[in-house]
Amino acid sequence: MGFETIRNLDMYKKVPSDLTERTLCGAFISVGCVMLTIYLMFAELVLYANGSLHTSVFVSYLNAEDDVDIRLNISIVDKDCADITVNLRHLQGQVENLPFHKSQVGDDCDLDGTLRVKKTPGILMIVPHHGTNWTGKEYKIVPKDKESPVETPKGFVPPAGYNPPDGYKVVEQIKNQKMNHRIHKLEFGPELPVTHRWEEVLPENGAPFRPLAGIQRDYPITLSHDYHMRLVPTNFIDQNKIRVNTFQYSYGYQHFLMNTPAGIAPPSILFRYDIAPLEISYQYDRKPLYHLLTMMCAIVGGVVTMAGVLDKMLFNTQQLIQHKIMLGKHN
């Protein structure tokens, strides 16, 4: 008596096998149901294993005492490294000379290294001279009867009352100090760990973190190049909750030639930077296990239910057609 009461609670009543009917249409639906279930479950497993990237934006709190790394690799075209100086101008106006790593590659000067600066606006300046007495002019000692110059000391400036050797004269020329360049790398903050594969999921393969990479400026005249960059603090949090703080940035560019009462102002390459008050967070999450199990149950239940509804509709339609055919034969 007790077991009969418990059997009445069975929601999955069984139909004797001799009362069931197998159909060809039902077989196709069953095979399709199994294949669709396997595909959806496999896709859900891949999604669970890879995780997903969530992006959020919020107001950032900046501590001016914190440091930020500037990683720069740039080639100054047709320039001697001995003529290149790298300075950093702080927000307060102080100018700091930076001992940057330089290497002469053919006619070009390569600058490569990492600088550590405060999280305050500043200007990174690359200038082709060591002092401030630059007038944009140079002088050559040439024979009076022709314009072919003889060897003149580098940086020669004739003093007042200077008399050249007999048969020679001093010719004043506009000094060509073109600052054409190629930017190989300009990034801010620490590099992203390669093992995390952040670039594969970031927009444009991580281009917002290095928009100046590959930029080349080549002009036939002496010009200054001015880059104004807006840095956006960005942090990454991986599946293991390891946090990496770095920066992405956008930039504007202009070039100009500045004249002063003393002559042409010295050309330079200027990288102006300031930090935006917003912060972007990329968090790599993996769904909890119970979410995966719930989705698996939903896939199996949903596919089986819909397949059953489709099978019943097709079976009833088939029965109705056969019934009408039989009635037509009797009539």
Side-chain angles (χ1 to χ4, degrees):
M1 186 67 179
F3 288 108
E4 288 298 328
T5 303
I6 295 175
R7 285 195 186 96
N8 291 332
L9 300 177
D10 185 7
M11 294 186 299
Y12 306 99
K13 298 179 175 63
K14 312 302 184 293
V15 179
S17 59
D18 58 343
L19 298 179
T20 59
E21 181 180 355
R22 300 181 186 275
T23 63
L24 185 61
C25 179
F28 283 116
I29 293 177
S30 299
V31 172
C33 174
V34 172
M35 294 179 63
L36 180 60
T37 301
I38 293 175
Y39 169 75
L40 293 177
M41 293 180 70
F42 177 76
E44 190 64 29
L45 277 171
V46 171
L47 190 62
Y48 172 78
N50 290 337
S52 57
L53 188 70
H54 301 281
T55 305
S56 58
V57 180
F58 52 90
V59 177
S60 174
Y61 170 74
L62 298 177
N63 186 353
E65 297 302 318
D66 292 342
D67 295 330
V68 56
D69 291 337
I70 302 178
R71 303 192 304 280
L72 175 65
N73 186 348
I74 183 173
S75 295
I76 313 300
V77 179
D78 197 19
K79 195 67 61 180
D80 193 334
C81 285
D83 295 334
I84 296 295
T85 300
V86 182
N87 297 326
L88 179 65
R89 183 183 295 275
H90 298 279
L91 178 65
Q92 297 80 5
Q94 306 97 325
V95 177
E96 176 184 358
N97 184 264
L98 302 174
F100 219 82
H101 175 71
K102 304 173 186 178
S103 59
Q104 194 71 37
V105 181
D107 295 331
D108 302 341
C109 177
D110 280 2
L111 304 177
D112 186 14
T114 299
L115 310 174
R116 178 157 290 183
V117 300
K118 297 296 182 182
K119 283 186 178 178
T120 55
I123 306 175
L124 182 64
M125 304 182 295
I126 303 176
V127 291
H129 62 94
H130 290 281
T132 58
N133 299 322
W134 194 88
T135 62
K137 300 177 182 178
E138 63 181 352
Y139 299 87
K140 299 288 185 181
I141 301 175
V142 301
K144 291 182 178 180
D145 57 346
K146 56 182 178 178
E147 293 296 322
S148 177
V150 298
E151 184 174 350
T152 307
K154 187 174 183 180
F156 170 75
V157 177
Y162 172 79
N163 292 317
D166 291 339
Y168 291 89
K169 62 181 178 178
V170 177
V171 176
E172 180 184 281
Q173 300 176 337
I174 297 297
K175 192 173 185 179
N176 184 6
Q177 285 282 20
K178 292 185 291 185
M179 291 296 287
N180 294 332
H181 57 277
R182 293 185 297 271
I183 302 175
H184 307 292
K185 179 175 69 174
L186 179 56
E187 301 173 7
F188 296 84
E191 295 189 68
L192 296 178
V194 178
T195 55
H196 293 179
R197 303 186 311 163
W198 289 114
E199 295 183 0
E200 297 180 10
V201 294
L202 291 179
E204 302 179 32
N205 201 28
F209 295 87
R210 55 182 77 87
L212 283 174
I215 293 295
Q216 179 169 340
R217 307 294 181 188
D218 189 4
Y219 294 95
I221 59 175
T222 299
L223 292 171
S224 288
H225 306 270
D226 193 351
Y227 298 90
H228 193 166
M229 298 168 292
R230 173 59 63 92
L231 279 59
V232 181
T234 305
N235 66 76
F236 296 86
I237 304 174
D238 67 5
Q239 299 97 319
N240 300 319
K241 305 304 179 184
I242 298 176
R243 183 187 182 101
V244 179
N245 295 312
T246 185
F247 294 86
Q248 56 181 301
Y249 67 95
S250 59
Y251 75 95
Y253 168 78
Q254 63 176 346
H255 58 262
F256 57 89
L257 178 62
M258 184 179 296
N259 292 307
T260 67
I264 300 175
S268 57
I269 302 174
L270 307 176
F271 295 102
R272 308 174 189 266
Y273 60 89
D274 58 12
I275 302 178
L278 298 178
E279 184 169 345
I280 300 177
S281 177
Y282 295 96
Q283 184 165 358
Y284 214 139
D285 283 337
R286 178 179 293 171
K287 299 294 184 181
L289 181 59
Y290 70 82
H291 181 272
L292 174 65
L293 297 177
T294 301
M295 291 303 298
M296 292 295 184
C297 293
I299 290 172
V300 173
V303 173
V304 170
T305 300
M306 293 306 300
V309 171
L310 179 62
D311 178 68
K312 189 171 184 178
M313 291 175 56
L314 293 177
F315 180 76
N316 290 339
T317 302
Q318 181 183 9
Q319 292 292 328
L320 180 61
I321 293 174
Q322 289 179 350
H323 180 68
K324 288 186 175 182
I325 292 175
M326 292 298 296
L327 289 177
K329 287 183 177 180
H330 288 297
N331 292 334

